[in-house]
Amino acid sequence: SLVSMQGHSSSRKMAAQRVQRIQQHVLAGDAAISGGVEMRATSSAEDSDFDSRVKAMQAWMDSERFKYTTRPYTAKDVVKMQGTFPLNFTSAKLS
C-alpha cells in the first residue's frame, strides 16, 4: 500500500541521515576534515588533573555552606563545563 511505502521511504531517509551524522563525527577526528583542528586523546596527566578538580569541586559542594542545597548536576558535570584554561583576575588578586 502507498502508506506503508511512504513509511518505508521515510525510515530509509532517517537511517541515511543517521549514517551521515556518524560519518561526520568519525571524520571530525581527521585534521583535514575538521578545519585543521587535530582531535587527540587525553593524556593520563590530564585525566588525573580532571579527577583532582572533580574532588575539589565535590568538597566545595559538600561544604557546610551548601548542606541544604540540592543540585540536578554532579561535581563532574560542573568541571566538564569549566574548561581547562586557568582564569586569573587581576582585580581579585589586588583586593
Side-chain angles (χ1 to χ4, degrees):
S1 74
L2 183 60
V3 173
S4 66
M5 288 178 68
Q6 287 174 340
H8 186 66
S9 174
S10 175
S11 64
R12 274 188 174 184
K13 189 182 287 187
M14 288 174 52
Q17 288 172 342
R18 282 192 210 123
V19 169
Q20 186 179 16
R21 259 186 286 170
I22 291 170
Q23 286 174 338
Q24 288 171 343
H25 286 286
V26 170
L27 291 174
D30 183 0
I33 304 296
S34 63
V37 177
E38 185 179 347
M39 307 298 280
R40 290 183 265 158
T42 60
S43 69
S44 61
E46 289 175 311
D47 290 339
S48 64
D49 179 55
F50 179 80
D51 292 340
S52 66
R53 290 174 51 213
V54 170
K55 286 179 187 176
M57 179 59 66
Q58 188 63 53
W60 183 77
M61 290 169 79
D62 290 341
S63 67
E64 184 68 22
R65 176 181 179 183
F66 302 111
K67 72 179 179 181
Y68 297 111
T69 303
T70 56
R71 296 178 174 88
Y73 48 84
T74 65
K76 189 174 184 177
D77 295 333
V78 173
V79 173
K80 280 183 189 177
M81 300 300 282
Q82 285 180 335
T84 57
F85 190 78
L87 297 176
N88 296 313
F89 299 101
T90 306
S91 60
K93 288 183 178 182
L94 293 174
S95 61

